[in-house]
Amino acid sequence: SVRECMCILAGTIEKMLSRLMSSSIRSLDRECNCTVRLLDDSEYTCTIQRDAKGQYLFDLICHHLNLLEKDYFGIRYVDPDKQRHWLEFTKSIAKQMKSQPPFTMCLRVKFYPPDPAALKEEITRYLVFLQVKRDLYHGRLLCKTSDAALLAAYILQAEIGDYDPGKHPEGYSSKFQFFPKHSEKLERRIAEIHKTELIGQTPETSELNFLQKAQMLETYGVDPHPCKDVSGNPAFLAFTPFGFTVLQGNRRVHFLKWEEVTKLKFEAKTFHIYANQKEDKKIILTYFAPTPEACKHLWKCGVENQAFYKLEKSSQVRTVSSSNLFFKGSRFRYSGKVAKEVMEQSAKIKRDPPEIHSAHSTPVRSVSHGDSFMSSRGHMMDGSEASTSAVISDEAYSPSDSVLPTPVAEHGMEMPLARHLNGSPCSIDEEKESEAGTSKEGQAAEFRLGRRALRMVRSRQSPQSDVEDLNKFVLSVLRLFLVTIGLLFALLLLLIMLTESDLDIAFLRDIRKTPEFQQFHFEYFCPLRRWFAFAFIFVLIYML
């Protein structure tokens, strides 16, 4: 009847709609939002498939920036345990993040160019300039007072142009925050260089001069990893375009060229560097990372930097492993181009220079209302890196912003606490003066409070660390026991195979003549051998 036909038609339409809705929901589940913070503090947001690999996202960002010399850059993210990582381009993004979307990451310079002047395109130099300027502001790029003044003057010239008495009143340089802390003497020197020595320089020239000056500093390209040496003293390990560096007490205590480094290895929280120096002098440096995850990240960064700067061709890259008998090992292979190949590929670029939309973001300090962050063009920033810099001694290298996970340090509200505990990072080596209006007694009291808070945090965490150490010791003993049992079992099997073989050795003949062996041979070995033969024949027949 008509009614039955209508019911059947309605049921069919309902099923089709439900299928369409379920498929659309599944397609939505397969997509996720991703936000990448760029070097000029702007954000790039896109929608990616859940199974998309890191290379896809990186190519989207490079297309958005019109960037061809992209092998110097990488995407950094932080996992739920606050551990920093570089996004691996050959693996799925969702599996690496280990968190629920939306994902938040940052575009950063991963491999600093050894010679910034050799970069082919201006857009690449501009992005590297933004990164190095960020390093200077966060205390990762250390320098003397004279060098600091010149670097800041280059930034000032690139952002506001030539000095104009009508536009730039007395004390104009003090409004900009180039370093973690300023002194009035340094501010006056910055303004003096800007007024007299840099007149007529274009922004592009000033940025190039800034990079060439920064490239000569010992801490150029440093991305510090906090560790401790064998004596328990804090240290920062870093990989630069020229080699491996160890920083302690605001100075470089070790430097190994990439040609001298022979092997990088880690075991749990222990990191080893093997090197051969002049006259066949072999050295081994050992340091201890805060966590096994941090140690693995340090090892992977070292493997990538060594491959990028040391090798002649990417075909020479080999899979590197770090393991021994009692610890879980890791295998890793660098998958990108090496520095020499990147330079050769850059030389082949032939196109009109892309337009650069520069949006400089040097923080501007407000004299009357504390520190406010504003770009030199008057646009308010989002406060991502806004925090009050505490005044500390210049005797310790403490780049707190670079140690914290990048998105947390640049997006969250945890930075003021981290600065309070760890101290503000120092960027000027010779500067011994305090901030204007801050007494020495106030500095000492603030330093004591910071140390007291740090001791309280450590005391709260000590029971948990003791339990973790005990668990790791028990696991090591268990691994040793299992390995020993396995070796004994393997030796027993080897002995049985030798005695059952036709080898005519006096030792084996004596064993074969014993009643125990003959009983084992007839009661156990012969039935087991027949069983294996039948099983093999059965499997062979099944496969045929």
Side-chain angles (χ1 to χ4, degrees):
S1 63
V2 178
R3 181 176 296 178
E4 291 177 354
C5 293
M6 292 295 292
C7 291
I8 294 173
L9 182 60
T12 304
I13 294 174
E14 185 178 357
K15 289 180 181 179
M16 292 176 61
L17 290 175
S18 62
R19 289 178 182 177
L20 289 173
M21 292 178 63
S22 62
S23 63
S24 62
I25 292 173
R26 285 196 299 270
S27 64
L28 288 175
D29 291 339
R30 289 196 298 266
E31 294 180 347
C32 56
N33 293 327
C34 184
T35 299
V36 180
R37 183 156 192 178
L38 306 179
L39 283 161
D40 61 356
D41 290 321
S42 63
E43 292 185 349
Y44 175 77
T45 303
C46 62
T47 301
I48 60 174
Q49 299 292 323
R50 273 192 171 273
D51 57 352
K53 294 184 178 181
Q55 187 68 51
Y56 175 76
L57 177 62
F58 185 65
D59 290 340
L60 283 180
I61 298 171
C62 293
H63 178 73
H64 170 73
L65 296 172
N66 205 359
L67 177 66
L68 294 183
E69 296 175 290
K70 55 186 179 181
D71 296 277
Y72 297 105
F73 302 86
I75 299 176
R76 173 170 278 166
Y77 70 95
V78 59
D79 64 18
D81 296 325
K82 311 303 181 185
Q83 173 60 47
R84 294 189 306 169
H85 300 274
W86 287 106
L87 189 70
E88 294 188 41
F89 295 160
T90 58
K91 296 183 179 180
S92 168
I93 298 174
K95 291 182 179 179
Q96 293 184 69
M97 297 298 290
K98 298 180 182 179
S99 61
Q100 296 299 321
F103 301 136
T104 302
M105 290 170 270
C106 297
L107 179 73
R108 294 292 179 261
V109 173
K110 186 176 183 179
F111 303 112
Y112 287 71
D115 183 11
L119 294 172
K120 183 67 178 293
E121 296 200 306
E122 184 63 33
I123 179 66
T124 315
R125 273 193 296 272
Y126 173 66
L127 293 176
V128 175
F129 166 77
L130 292 179
Q131 176 68 67
V132 180
K133 185 178 71 168
R134 182 185 297 272
D135 295 341
L136 185 68
Y137 171 69
H138 287 300
R140 295 187 288 266
L141 184 66
L142 300 180
C143 55
K144 299 179 180 179
T145 306
S146 57
D147 295 333
L150 181 58
L151 289 173
Y154 282 137
I155 297 175
L156 206 58
Q157 179 70 21
E159 298 201 4
I160 67 175
D162 292 340
Y163 170 72
D164 186 346
K167 297 180 180 179
H168 307 136
E170 188 67 24
Y172 68 100
S173 64
S174 63
K175 297 181 180 180
F176 293 87
Q177 186 82 23
F178 303 106
F179 314 102
K181 66 174 188 174
H182 283 191
S183 68
E184 293 183 358
K185 181 180 178 181
L186 178 60
E187 291 167 0
R188 289 194 297 268
R189 179 56 183 159
I190 294 171
E192 180 181 349
I193 296 175
H194 177 241
K195 292 178 182 179
T196 58
E197 300 181 19
L198 306 182
I199 297 176
Q201 284 193 11
T202 63
E204 294 78 12
T205 304
S206 298
E207 291 165 5
L208 179 58
N209 291 335
F210 172 87
L211 291 175
Q212 290 180 320
K213 183 64 179 178
Q215 181 262 338
M216 294 186 292
L217 301 176
E218 291 182 348
T219 50
Y220 169 74
V222 162
D223 181 20
H225 300 256
C227 293
K228 289 185 178 181
D229 61 14
V230 292
S231 302
N233 300 316
F236 288 92
L237 311 187
F239 309 103
T240 72
F242 314 104
F244 169 77
T245 299
V246 181
L247 299 165
Q248 267 184 326
N250 208 12
R251 63 189 181 91
R252 190 173 73 178
V253 296
H254 285 293
F255 175 72
L256 299 172
K257 297 180 180 179
W258 285 124
E259 294 76 15
E260 300 172 343
V261 178
T262 57
K263 186 178 181 181
L264 301 173
K265 182 180 177 182
F266 84 97
E267 300 171 353
K269 296 191 293 185
T270 308
F271 181 70
H272 304 282
I273 306 99
Y274 298 80
N276 291 334
Q277 292 188 316
K278 295 180 180 179
E279 300 177 357
D280 295 332
K281 180 182 177 182
K282 296 182 178 181
I283 62 172
I284 301 176
L285 301 178
T286 301
Y287 293 91
F288 303 96
T291 62
E293 292 76 17
C295 193
K296 183 177 181 180
H297 175 62
L298 171 64
W299 173 71
K300 291 174 68 174
C301 289
V303 170
E304 289 187 313
N305 277 270
Q306 187 178 22
F308 184 82
Y309 294 112
K310 183 178 180 179
L311 300 182
E312 296 289 328
K313 298 179 180 179
S314 56
S315 58
Q316 299 174 343
V317 177
R318 297 289 181 267
T319 301
V320 182
S321 63
S322 180
S323 62
N324 66 8
L325 195 61
F326 307 119
F327 292 90
K328 182 181 179 181
S330 297
R331 295 173 62 84
F332 179 71
R333 179 186 176 91
Y334 171 62
S335 58
K337 299 183 180 69
V338 299
K340 188 174 182 180
E341 291 176 336
V342 173
M343 294 297 296
E344 293 174 353
Q345 185 177 358
S346 298
K348 300 177 182 178
I349 297 177
K350 295 181 180 180
R351 66 168 181 174
D352 295 332
E355 185 179 357
I356 301 176
H357 301 282
S358 60
H360 294 289
S361 56
T362 299
V364 177
R365 297 191 298 178
S366 173
V367 179
S368 59
H369 296 90
D371 289 349
S372 65
F373 288 76
M374 182 184 300
S375 71
S376 61
R377 299 176 183 241
H379 300 292
M380 292 299 296
M381 303 302 296
D382 60 357
S384 61
E385 293 179 1
S387 62
T388 302
S389 296
V391 180
I392 65 168
S393 170
D394 281 333
E395 297 177 356
Y397 180 68
S398 179
S400 59
D401 291 303
S402 64
V403 174
L404 287 174
T406 302
V408 174
E410 296 181 355
H411 287 278
M413 298 300 293
E414 300 180 28
M415 188 184 299
L417 175 62
R419 285 182 178 271
H420 181 69
L421 295 180
N422 300 331
S424 173
C426 301
S427 66
I428 305 172
D429 184 56
E430 296 178 349
E431 204 54 42
K432 299 297 180 183
E433 302 175 0
S434 63
E435 288 272 351
T438 305
S439 64
K440 294 183 179 180
E441 291 79 9
Q443 297 177 32
E446 186 173 355
F447 183 67
R448 286 195 298 270
L449 287 173
R451 292 185 61 184
R452 185 179 303 172
L454 184 58
R455 285 197 299 269
M456 291 175 64
V457 172
R458 287 178 177 173
S459 64
R460 293 173 184 173
Q461 295 177 346
S462 59
Q464 184 179 0
S465 61
D466 293 340
V467 173
E468 291 178 356
D469 293 338
L470 179 61
N471 292 337
K472 290 174 182 177
F473 174 74
V474 172
L475 288 175
S476 299
V477 173
L478 183 60
R479 290 193 189 101
L480 177 61
F481 176 74
L482 294 176
V483 169
T484 305
I485 295 298
L487 288 175
L488 292 176
F489 184 72
L491 290 174
L492 179 61
L493 290 178
L494 180 62
L495 180 61
I496 293 173
M497 292 175 62
L498 290 175
T499 52
E500 294 291 346
S501 65
D502 297 330
L503 292 176
D504 191 12
I505 302 176
F507 171 71
L508 297 178
R509 287 199 305 268
D510 294 339
I511 294 178
R512 293 187 187 109
K513 292 179 181 179
T514 59
E516 292 81 6
F517 174 78
Q518 293 179 2
Q519 181 181 3
F520 170 79
H521 177 77
F522 290 108
E523 292 187 6
Y524 298 100
F525 182 77
C526 290
L528 188 63
R529 183 173 58 183
R530 286 194 297 268
W531 185 88
F532 273 110
F534 286 133
F536 177 75
I537 294 173
F538 176 78
V539 171
L540 188 61
I541 294 173
Y542 178 78
M543 292 177 62
L544 293 176

